Structures are given as C-alpha cells and as structure tokens.
Amino acid sequence: MSSSGLDISELSDNERSALETYTAVTGQEPSEALPLLRRSQWNVQIAISKFFDGEGPDPVEEARAALNNPPPPRPTRQTQNLMTDDLNARFTPTATADLAPRISTQPEDQQVYRPPFLLALLFTPFNLLYRLLCSSFRLFGALFPFLPRLFNTTASNALQGARRNTNGRRPLGPQDTAARFIREFEEEYGSNAIGFLENGYNMALERAHRELKFLLVVLLAPEHDDTNGWVRDTLLSREVTEFVSDAQNDVLVWGGNVQDSEAYQVSNSLRCTKFPFAAVVVHTPGVSSTAMSVVARIAGTTSPTEMVEKLRTAVSQHREPLERLRATRAEQQASRSLREQQDSAYERSLAIDRERARQRREAEAARQREEQEAAERRAAEEKRMQDLRAWKRWRAQRIAEEPGADAPDAVRISIRLPTGERVIRRFTPDADLEELYAFVECYDVLNEVDEKGVRGEKPDGFVHQYGFRLVSPMPRTVYEVEAGGSIREKVGRGGNLLVEPIDDESEEEEER
C-alpha cells in the first residue's frame, strides 16, 4: 500500500499506463504521482501540465470534473499470464490505435504583444537577471537530478520548464513556424530530402484525412544528444527517404521543433516520452468517419531498417481500409458527377424550354402588337377617308360655278382623270390654281352636292393634302399647287392636263 491509500496492483490497465507515462515524463515517485493523477481524473496531459506549470490543486474544479466525469468502475481482479500477454501483444496483427486530436495553435493573424521601447529598456536588467537565475537553476538541476524533487512545484517549474519558456524563440503562426523549422533543418542537415509539409499540424492532419494518406510526424529536440545522429543516419538515409518519397506508399511528412509551442503541444497529444520521436497518423474509418489515429510510434534512436520496417508494417496494416474508403469515395464522386451531369442536362433542357416559351411569348406579343397596330391603322384610315369625304363635300360647295359659253375670257381646261375619263370645264381667268385642284379632288361628289343638295362641314383637326399633281404632257410641265397663281397665268387660255397620283416611291425618285 502507498501513502495515498491505493495499491498499485489494484489499478486498471489504463490507469497503470497513465501512471507509467506520467512518471517517465516527470520523474516523480508513484506515491507522489498518484494524488495528482487522481485529482486530474487520470488525464496524463492535464497532470503533466499541472506538474510543469506549477499549478496547485483546485478543489472546486476537480470536484466539478468528478461530478461531470465519474471515475470508471474498478475492474474485477483477475490473474494474468504475463508471458502470454506479452506474446499476444507482439504478434497481434492489429493493435488499438490512439486518437490523434487536433491542437489549439496561435492564429495566423494574432499579433505578438511587444511592450513600448522605454518600458522594455527599463526592465532589461530585471530580464537579464531572471534569465541568469533560470540558467543557473537549470544547470544545478542537470548536475544534481535529485534537487528538483526537494523543491516545490514552482521551483520544479523553473528548473525543468525554463528551457521551454525562455528559449528565446519568437512565437509565430503555424505556417510560419513550419517554414522556420524547414529553413533551420536545411541549414543544419542540407536539402529537405524528406519533403516536410510547409503548413501547420492541423492543416497536415486535414490534408492526410482528405487525401487518405499516412502522415509521418517527426518531432526533434535540438538539445538532445541523439538528434543529429538520428537525423543524419536514419531519417535522411536512403532507405527512409526512398520509402517516404515512393508515391505508392502515400506518406506525407510533417516535422516540428519541440521548442516551438505547436510542436510541444503535438508531443503532448501524441504522448511523446523520448526523443527523437516519430509517429504515423492515419484516418481510421473503423473508429469514426473523421477519426485520425496514431498507428505507430518510433521513439528514440533506431536504425534505418527498423524505421522502414515499422513504417511498412503500419502502412500495410491500414492500407486495405483506406483502399475501400477510396473506392467508396470514388463511387460517391462518380455518383455525384453523374447527378451533376444530369442536373446540368436538366438545367440546359429547362433553359431551352424557357427560351422557347420566351420566344413564343414574344412572338405572340409581337403578333398582338401588329394586329393592334393594323387595327389602329385601319381605324385611322377609315377616319381619314370619312374626313376626306366630308372635306370634299364642304369644299365642293365653295367651288365657283362654271362660266357660260359666252364668257370671252374663260379658260377651257381638258382634264384626263386616273380612271381614263376626260372632263372638260371652263374656269374664270382669275381663278386660283387651287380651284382647279379642288375641282379635280371633288369631282366625284359634285353631282351629289348639285343633285341631292348634300351639305357638309369642314372636319375639325383635318389637314387636307392633295394626293395628285396636274401635268401638261407636251411639253411636260408640272403645275404644283403650292406654287399658287391664277389658272390663266399658269396654264394659259386653255390646255390639256393629266392627273398623276403622288406616291412615296415617286417622291423619293424625284428627290434623288
């Protein structure tokens, strides 16, 4: 029995695994680690964060967490064969995959707070003294490992977390942090032969999930003694680079420096206990539709052959579910494309039908408009004819009577009408040329006025225009009514005249 009143042998497998992980990271004794793990509801990440950040226990929050998340029931004690369990664990083809959650990183557009220049200058001596003390504590902690256990959690935080909090690296966004890691990697080890992704961890997870590929996460600690040798001899070896670069293996690589906040959070989420560290993350359809799980971990120094073998094993074990999911996605994409093509064809057919309906409506509207215009023209023509007949009756009443045969100065005019009829009439010599035009225009109603005594009035708003001209054939002379003058002046003592109708075509020809 421990000081906490709980026997380690009574812990469940998950609790024992959490205890081992916690003690391996923090270096605490199990008797000291059990109370903090119990207060953290056996959440290793929360317990490690509390240990390194120097946070004391919060009874209110822990009681609330205990109410919301009651501890799992204690499993019944049973006897196990350790050798059998170890052999089963070694030769089981598939192992339980741990989820690879997303992490909260600094937003791209978040601005880093910088104090004013005068304030920074004022506190520069204190900053230097603080860094000197932290470096001293870290040096003593490295020389005497038992010293951190003698201090409280605050001193332990200064001894063990000083490197993480005072490394002097400027916090950047995920993409800029990845670019900085690649630049430093190339400066230290040469070209980026491994092909690191130049984006954040969450974006790399999203791309691996979207493209159904394996994501190889590489976490490096530059201050670790084995980092340089492992990178040069293993990570950049021909076997590893050829395996990663092979398109058939579908491997994406993301790397990070644990001195950066994002890589440090990734190491906590992936339960990294030893550096250098690499993990294979892949989408596991059997867990959920969006789950990304850790299917292989490579911790510590390994040979290129061992690393390639672990990578090949992880890829071969999880390739079949990904192939099925790819086939399903391809079938869904084909169905989606077929539906889009059908929808597009339907939209085109609907557009053609709409265009035809629009053309029919426009044609019907044009036909109705033409019919209406034709009806208006007919109505206007009928009204014009009525007004013209009324005007003729009105004008016929005002035509001077024909002079007698004994009138010495009468002008005798022979007029050939458009119908072929020839009319001979005498006019007074001083009669205006318009009188001759009016006689020709009103010839068809003169008899009605004379015989029947029909009287007419001038129609209101009607402007009369003569639709013919009087022409002398030999030599051809046109007597325009607009020219005015008397009949004697224009025609002489007598003459033969022709009535020529005026139409638009003849007027255009004359204008030309």
Side-chain angles (χ1 to χ4, degrees):
M1 298 293 292
S2 65
S3 62
S4 62
L6 180 63
D7 191 358
I8 297 178
S9 61
E10 296 180 357
L11 299 177
S12 64
D13 296 339
N14 293 334
E15 293 172 349
R16 190 178 296 108
S17 176
L19 177 61
E20 294 175 357
T21 304
Y22 177 81
T23 55
V25 175
T26 61
Q28 276 191 320
E29 295 296 335
S31 58
E32 300 175 357
L34 285 174
L36 182 57
L37 284 172
R38 294 179 62 187
R39 290 197 303 269
S40 302
Q41 298 299 317
W42 296 96
N43 191 314
V44 180
Q45 297 181 11
I46 296 177
I48 294 176
S49 299
K50 287 184 177 180
F51 176 80
F52 282 110
D53 295 339
E55 299 179 1
D58 190 347
V60 177
E61 293 297 331
E62 292 172 2
R64 186 179 303 170
L67 291 176
N68 296 333
N69 301 314
R74 190 74 60 189
T76 58
R77 192 169 183 177
Q78 58 184 358
T79 304
Q80 297 180 349
N81 190 329
L82 298 181
M83 182 176 295
T84 305
D85 294 343
D86 183 61
L87 292 176
N88 292 336
R90 287 176 179 271
F91 296 100
T92 301
T94 57
T96 303
D98 297 331
L99 294 180
R102 296 177 179 271
I103 61 174
S104 299
T105 58
Q106 179 185 9
E108 293 286 350
D109 56 350
Q110 180 178 350
Q111 298 181 356
V112 180
Y113 172 75
R114 294 183 178 276
F117 176 74
L118 295 179
L119 187 62
L121 186 62
L122 179 63
F123 283 93
T124 297
F126 300 97
N127 188 18
L128 295 177
L129 180 61
Y130 173 75
R131 292 188 179 184
L132 181 61
L133 291 177
C134 290
S135 300
S136 302
F137 285 145
R138 188 180 62 180
L139 177 60
F140 279 103
L143 295 178
F144 307 99
F146 61 90
L147 287 179
R149 302 179 184 178
L150 300 179
F151 293 93
N152 55 19
T153 55
T154 305
S156 178
N157 177 45
L159 290 171
Q160 300 187 16
R163 179 177 59 87
R164 176 171 56 87
N165 296 327
T166 61
N167 52 37
R169 293 176 68 84
R170 178 184 177 185
L172 300 175
Q175 187 172 2
D176 295 335
T177 302
R180 179 172 61 183
F181 169 78
I182 295 175
R183 183 178 66 254
E184 294 175 350
F185 186 90
E186 293 178 350
E187 292 175 355
E188 181 69 21
Y189 305 105
S191 62
N192 183 14
I194 200 68
F196 291 105
L197 296 177
E198 192 173 347
N199 50 31
Y201 172 74
N202 292 336
M203 293 296 295
L205 277 182
E206 181 66 25
R207 179 177 174 182
H209 178 269
R210 182 178 63 254
E211 299 179 2
L212 295 179
K213 292 185 177 181
F214 296 87
L215 178 62
L216 176 60
V217 180
V218 178
L219 299 177
L220 302 179
E223 297 181 359
H224 198 278
D225 296 336
D226 299 330
T227 298
N228 291 335
W230 182 82
V231 171
R232 297 182 186 277
D233 299 336
T234 301
L235 185 61
L236 296 180
S237 63
R238 184 177 57 84
E239 295 89 338
V240 176
T241 54
E242 288 181 356
F243 181 86
V244 172
S245 303
D246 191 355
Q248 296 181 355
N249 295 325
D250 296 329
V251 177
L252 302 175
V253 185
W254 181 87
N257 187 341
V258 293
Q259 292 179 345
D260 296 324
S261 174
E262 183 182 28
Y264 177 77
Q265 296 180 52
V266 173
S267 66
N268 288 336
S269 64
L270 297 182
R271 297 190 299 177
C272 173
T273 59
K274 189 175 182 181
F275 291 101
F277 178 83
V280 179
V281 182
V282 69
H283 174 48
T284 51
V287 179
S288 69
S289 60
T290 59
M292 297 292 291
S293 303
V294 181
V295 296
R297 287 184 175 86
I298 306 173
T301 57
T302 55
S303 64
T305 305
E306 293 176 351
M307 183 172 182
V308 171
E309 185 63 26
K310 291 183 179 180
L311 293 177
R312 183 178 290 108
T313 302
V315 171
S316 61
Q317 289 180 353
H318 297 83
R319 182 184 297 276
E320 184 178 356
L322 294 183
E323 293 294 340
R324 290 197 300 267
L325 187 56
R326 285 194 186 97
T328 302
R329 287 188 179 181
E331 183 179 356
Q332 294 175 354
Q333 181 63 29
S335 301
R336 189 180 301 110
S337 300
L338 180 60
R339 287 195 301 269
E340 291 177 355
Q341 293 176 3
Q342 293 175 351
D343 294 342
S344 178
Y346 174 76
E347 291 295 336
R348 289 196 300 269
S349 177
L350 185 61
I352 293 175
D353 294 340
R354 289 175 179 173
E355 181 64 20
R356 291 176 179 175
R358 185 188 63 81
Q359 293 177 357
R360 287 195 296 269
R361 289 194 300 269
E362 291 180 354
E364 181 66 19
R367 184 185 62 81
Q368 294 179 359
R369 186 168 56 254
E370 291 177 357
E371 292 180 354
Q372 182 179 0
E373 292 176 356
E376 292 176 355
R377 288 194 298 270
R378 288 194 300 269
E381 183 65 20
E382 291 178 358
K383 186 177 185 305
R384 190 187 71 83
M385 296 302 295
Q386 293 177 0
D387 293 344
L388 178 60
R389 192 167 186 83
W391 183 87
K392 286 181 179 180
R393 293 173 180 172
W394 170 80
R395 185 65 179 86
Q397 299 173 9
R398 288 163 175 74
I399 295 177
E401 295 183 357
E402 183 178 5
D406 53 350
D409 296 332
V411 179
R412 182 176 179 276
I413 302 297
S414 175
I415 305 172
R416 186 177 183 84
L417 301 177
T419 59
E421 181 181 0
R422 183 174 295 277
V423 178
I424 299 175
R425 193 180 191 282
R426 289 185 297 274
F427 295 89
T428 58
D430 57 349
D432 191 80
L433 185 62
E434 194 273 339
E435 187 79 6
L436 178 58
Y437 269 84
F439 172 78
V440 176
E441 182 74 13
C442 302
Y443 178 77
D444 55 342
V445 299
L446 287 176
N447 294 333
E448 296 180 3
V449 175
D450 295 340
E451 296 178 0
K452 300 181 180 179
V454 179
R455 295 291 183 267
E457 296 180 357
K458 183 178 181 180
D460 296 334
F462 178 74
V463 178
H464 178 266
Q465 291 182 353
Y466 293 102
F468 61 91
R469 62 169 65 94
L470 298 178
V471 180
S472 175
M474 296 295 291
R476 178 179 174 79
T477 305
V478 178
Y479 303 101
E480 297 288 349
V481 65
E482 291 82 3
S486 63
I487 299 177
R488 183 67 174 270
E489 294 175 355
K490 298 294 183 181
V491 181
R493 300 184 60 87
N496 296 324
L497 301 179
L498 301 177
V499 179
E500 289 185 353
I502 299 176
D503 51 9
D504 296 337
E505 295 180 357
S506 62
E507 290 182 353
E508 293 177 359
E509 292 178 358
E510 290 181 358
E511 291 178 358
R512 292 176 185 176

